Short mmCIF file of all heavy atoms in Angstrom, two decimals:
data_model
loop_
_atom_site.label_atom_id
_atom_site.label_comp_id
_atom_site.label_asym_id
_atom_site.label_seq_id
_atom_site.Cartn_x
_atom_site.Cartn_y
_atom_site.Cartn_z
N GLY D 170 3.41 7.50 16.72
CA GLY D 170 3.57 7.37 18.16
C GLY D 170 4.53 6.28 18.60
O GLY D 170 4.89 6.19 19.77
N GLY D 171 4.93 5.41 17.65
CA GLY D 171 5.88 4.36 18.00
C GLY D 171 5.21 3.16 18.67
O GLY D 171 3.98 3.08 18.77
N ILE D 172 6.05 2.24 19.13
CA ILE D 172 5.58 1.00 19.76
C ILE D 172 6.20 0.91 21.15
O ILE D 172 7.37 1.26 21.34
CB ILE D 172 6.01 -0.23 18.93
CG1 ILE D 172 5.48 -0.11 17.49
CG2 ILE D 172 5.51 -1.53 19.56
CD1 ILE D 172 6.09 -1.11 16.53
N LYS D 173 5.43 0.45 22.12
CA LYS D 173 5.97 0.30 23.48
C LYS D 173 7.20 -0.60 23.44
O LYS D 173 7.19 -1.65 22.80
CB LYS D 173 4.91 -0.29 24.41
CG LYS D 173 3.75 0.66 24.68
CD LYS D 173 2.74 0.01 25.61
CE LYS D 173 1.59 0.96 25.89
NZ LYS D 173 0.56 0.32 26.76
N GLU D 174 8.25 -0.18 24.14
CA GLU D 174 9.52 -0.90 24.08
C GLU D 174 9.39 -2.35 24.51
O GLU D 174 10.05 -3.24 23.98
CB GLU D 174 10.57 -0.19 24.97
CG GLU D 174 11.06 1.14 24.42
CD GLU D 174 11.79 1.01 23.08
OE1 GLU D 174 12.32 -0.10 22.79
OE2 GLU D 174 11.83 1.99 22.33
N GLU D 175 8.49 -2.62 25.48
CA GLU D 175 8.33 -4.00 25.95
C GLU D 175 7.59 -4.89 24.94
O GLU D 175 7.57 -6.11 25.07
CB GLU D 175 7.59 -4.04 27.30
CG GLU D 175 6.17 -3.50 27.27
CD GLU D 175 6.07 -2.01 27.58
OE1 GLU D 175 7.09 -1.30 27.37
OE2 GLU D 175 5.00 -1.59 28.04
N LEU D 176 7.02 -4.25 23.91
CA LEU D 176 6.26 -5.01 22.91
C LEU D 176 6.98 -5.12 21.57
O LEU D 176 6.66 -5.99 20.76
CB LEU D 176 4.89 -4.36 22.67
CG LEU D 176 3.98 -4.19 23.87
CD1 LEU D 176 2.68 -3.50 23.45
CD2 LEU D 176 3.67 -5.54 24.51
N ILE D 177 7.96 -4.24 21.34
CA ILE D 177 8.54 -4.11 20.01
C ILE D 177 9.24 -5.40 19.55
O ILE D 177 9.28 -5.69 18.34
CB ILE D 177 9.50 -2.90 19.95
CG1 ILE D 177 9.69 -2.45 18.50
CG2 ILE D 177 10.82 -3.21 20.63
CD1 ILE D 177 10.32 -1.07 18.38
N GLU D 178 9.76 -6.20 20.48
CA GLU D 178 10.45 -7.43 20.11
C GLU D 178 9.46 -8.53 19.69
O GLU D 178 9.87 -9.55 19.14
CB GLU D 178 11.31 -7.93 21.27
CG GLU D 178 12.45 -7.00 21.66
CD GLU D 178 13.48 -6.84 20.55
OE1 GLU D 178 13.68 -7.81 19.79
OE2 GLU D 178 14.06 -5.74 20.42
N LYS D 179 8.18 -8.32 19.97
CA LYS D 179 7.19 -9.39 19.73
C LYS D 179 6.36 -9.19 18.48
O LYS D 179 5.57 -10.07 18.12
CB LYS D 179 6.24 -9.48 20.94
CG LYS D 179 6.92 -9.80 22.24
CD LYS D 179 5.89 -9.85 23.37
CE LYS D 179 6.55 -10.17 24.71
NZ LYS D 179 5.54 -10.21 25.81
N ILE D 180 6.51 -8.05 17.80
CA ILE D 180 5.51 -7.73 16.78
C ILE D 180 5.59 -8.61 15.54
O ILE D 180 4.64 -8.64 14.75
CB ILE D 180 5.58 -6.24 16.36
CG1 ILE D 180 6.89 -5.92 15.67
CG2 ILE D 180 5.35 -5.33 17.55
CD1 ILE D 180 6.86 -4.57 15.00
N PHE D 181 6.68 -9.34 15.36
CA PHE D 181 6.77 -10.26 14.22
C PHE D 181 6.32 -11.68 14.58
O PHE D 181 6.40 -12.58 13.76
CB PHE D 181 8.19 -10.30 13.65
CG PHE D 181 8.62 -9.00 13.02
CD1 PHE D 181 9.79 -8.36 13.44
CD2 PHE D 181 7.87 -8.41 12.01
CE1 PHE D 181 10.19 -7.16 12.86
CE2 PHE D 181 8.26 -7.21 11.43
CZ PHE D 181 9.42 -6.59 11.86
N GLU D 182 5.86 -11.87 15.83
CA GLU D 182 5.39 -13.18 16.24
C GLU D 182 3.97 -13.41 15.72
O GLU D 182 3.17 -12.46 15.63
CB GLU D 182 5.40 -13.30 17.77
CG GLU D 182 6.80 -13.25 18.38
CD GLU D 182 6.78 -13.30 19.89
OE1 GLU D 182 5.68 -13.49 20.47
OE2 GLU D 182 7.86 -13.17 20.50
N PRO D 183 3.62 -14.66 15.39
CA PRO D 183 2.26 -14.93 14.89
C PRO D 183 1.21 -14.65 15.97
O PRO D 183 1.41 -14.95 17.15
CB PRO D 183 2.29 -16.42 14.53
CG PRO D 183 3.42 -16.99 15.32
CD PRO D 183 4.43 -15.89 15.44
N TYR D 184 0.11 -14.03 15.56
CA TYR D 184 -1.06 -13.74 16.39
C TYR D 184 -0.81 -12.65 17.44
O TYR D 184 -1.67 -12.38 18.26
CB TYR D 184 -1.59 -15.00 17.08
CG TYR D 184 -1.94 -16.09 16.10
CD1 TYR D 184 -1.20 -17.27 16.04
CD2 TYR D 184 -3.00 -15.92 15.21
CE1 TYR D 184 -1.51 -18.26 15.13
CE2 TYR D 184 -3.32 -16.91 14.29
CZ TYR D 184 -2.57 -18.07 14.26
OH TYR D 184 -2.88 -19.04 13.35
N PHE D 185 0.37 -12.03 17.41
CA PHE D 185 0.59 -10.93 18.34
C PHE D 185 0.11 -9.63 17.70
O PHE D 185 0.45 -9.32 16.57
CB PHE D 185 2.07 -10.78 18.71
CG PHE D 185 2.32 -9.62 19.63
CD1 PHE D 185 2.08 -9.72 20.99
CD2 PHE D 185 2.76 -8.38 19.13
CE1 PHE D 185 2.28 -8.65 21.84
CE2 PHE D 185 2.97 -7.30 19.98
CZ PHE D 185 2.72 -7.44 21.33
N THR D 186 -0.71 -8.87 18.43
CA THR D 186 -1.20 -7.60 17.91
C THR D 186 -1.39 -6.62 19.06
O THR D 186 -1.72 -7.01 20.18
CB THR D 186 -2.53 -7.77 17.15
OG1 THR D 186 -2.98 -6.48 16.69
CG2 THR D 186 -3.61 -8.40 18.02
N THR D 187 -1.13 -5.35 18.78
CA THR D 187 -1.38 -4.30 19.75
C THR D 187 -2.76 -3.68 19.54
O THR D 187 -3.18 -2.80 20.26
CB THR D 187 -0.32 -3.18 19.64
OG1 THR D 187 -0.36 -2.64 18.31
CG2 THR D 187 1.06 -3.72 19.92
N LYS D 188 -3.47 -4.16 18.50
CA LYS D 188 -4.78 -3.61 18.17
C LYS D 188 -5.88 -4.40 18.86
O LYS D 188 -5.67 -5.52 19.31
CB LYS D 188 -5.01 -3.65 16.66
CG LYS D 188 -3.91 -2.98 15.85
CD LYS D 188 -4.08 -3.28 14.38
CE LYS D 188 -2.86 -2.82 13.58
NZ LYS D 188 -2.93 -3.23 12.18
N HIS D 189 -7.06 -3.82 18.91
CA HIS D 189 -8.22 -4.54 19.42
C HIS D 189 -8.48 -5.72 18.52
O HIS D 189 -8.25 -5.68 17.31
CB HIS D 189 -9.45 -3.60 19.45
CG HIS D 189 -10.63 -4.21 20.15
ND1 HIS D 189 -11.54 -5.01 19.48
CD2 HIS D 189 -11.04 -4.14 21.43
CE1 HIS D 189 -12.49 -5.40 20.34
NE2 HIS D 189 -12.20 -4.88 21.53
N GLU D 190 -9.00 -6.82 19.09
CA GLU D 190 -9.20 -8.05 18.32
C GLU D 190 -10.15 -7.88 17.15
O GLU D 190 -10.10 -8.63 16.17
CB GLU D 190 -9.71 -9.18 19.23
CG GLU D 190 -11.06 -8.89 19.87
CD GLU D 190 -11.52 -10.01 20.79
OE1 GLU D 190 -10.74 -10.94 21.03
OE2 GLU D 190 -12.67 -9.94 21.25
N SER D 191 -11.01 -6.86 17.21
CA SER D 191 -11.93 -6.61 16.10
C SER D 191 -11.23 -5.95 14.92
O SER D 191 -11.75 -5.91 13.81
CB SER D 191 -13.11 -5.73 16.55
OG SER D 191 -12.63 -4.44 16.94
N VAL D 192 -10.02 -5.43 15.16
CA VAL D 192 -9.27 -4.73 14.11
C VAL D 192 -8.08 -5.54 13.62
O VAL D 192 -7.84 -5.64 12.43
CB VAL D 192 -8.79 -3.35 14.63
CG1 VAL D 192 -7.99 -2.63 13.55
CG2 VAL D 192 -9.96 -2.50 15.09
N GLY D 193 -7.32 -6.11 14.55
CA GLY D 193 -6.09 -6.80 14.17
C GLY D 193 -6.13 -8.29 14.45
O GLY D 193 -6.75 -8.75 15.41
N THR D 194 -5.44 -9.07 13.61
CA THR D 194 -5.36 -10.51 13.79
C THR D 194 -3.98 -10.94 14.27
O THR D 194 -3.80 -12.06 14.72
CB THR D 194 -5.64 -11.23 12.45
OG1 THR D 194 -4.64 -10.85 11.50
CG2 THR D 194 -7.02 -10.87 11.92
N GLY D 195 -3.00 -10.05 14.14
CA GLY D 195 -1.64 -10.41 14.52
C GLY D 195 -0.93 -11.25 13.48
O GLY D 195 0.12 -11.83 13.75
N ILE D 196 -1.48 -11.31 12.28
CA ILE D 196 -0.88 -12.13 11.23
C ILE D 196 -0.09 -11.30 10.25
O ILE D 196 0.93 -11.74 9.72
CB ILE D 196 -1.99 -12.91 10.46
CG1 ILE D 196 -2.70 -13.86 11.43
CG2 ILE D 196 -1.40 -13.69 9.31
CD1 ILE D 196 -3.90 -14.55 10.82
N GLY D 197 -0.51 -10.05 10.00
CA GLY D 197 0.08 -9.23 8.94
C GLY D 197 1.58 -9.06 9.03
O GLY D 197 2.32 -9.36 8.09
N LEU D 198 2.09 -8.61 10.18
CA LEU D 198 3.52 -8.37 10.32
C LEU D 198 4.30 -9.67 10.38
O LEU D 198 5.45 -9.73 9.93
CB LEU D 198 3.80 -7.51 11.55
CG LEU D 198 3.33 -6.05 11.45
CD1 LEU D 198 3.62 -5.30 12.74
CD2 LEU D 198 3.98 -5.33 10.27
N TYR D 199 3.68 -10.71 10.93
CA TYR D 199 4.33 -12.03 10.92
C TYR D 199 4.54 -12.48 9.48
O TYR D 199 5.63 -12.96 9.11
CB TYR D 199 3.47 -13.04 11.67
CG TYR D 199 3.94 -14.47 11.48
CD1 TYR D 199 5.07 -14.94 12.14
CD2 TYR D 199 3.26 -15.34 10.63
CE1 TYR D 199 5.52 -16.24 11.96
CE2 TYR D 199 3.69 -16.64 10.45
CZ TYR D 199 4.82 -17.10 11.12
OH TYR D 199 5.26 -18.38 10.93
#
Side-chain angles (χ1 to χ4, degrees):
I172 304 168
K173 291 180 180 178
E174 289 297 336
E175 63 269 24
L176 303 178
I177 201 165
E178 296 296 327
K179 300 179 180 180
I180 66 168
F181 294 125
E182 294 178 6
Y184 303 112
F185 178 80
T186 179
T187 59
K188 306 170 190 174
H189 188 273
E190 62 181 8
S191 64
V192 179
T194 62
I196 298 173
L198 291 178
Y199 169 75

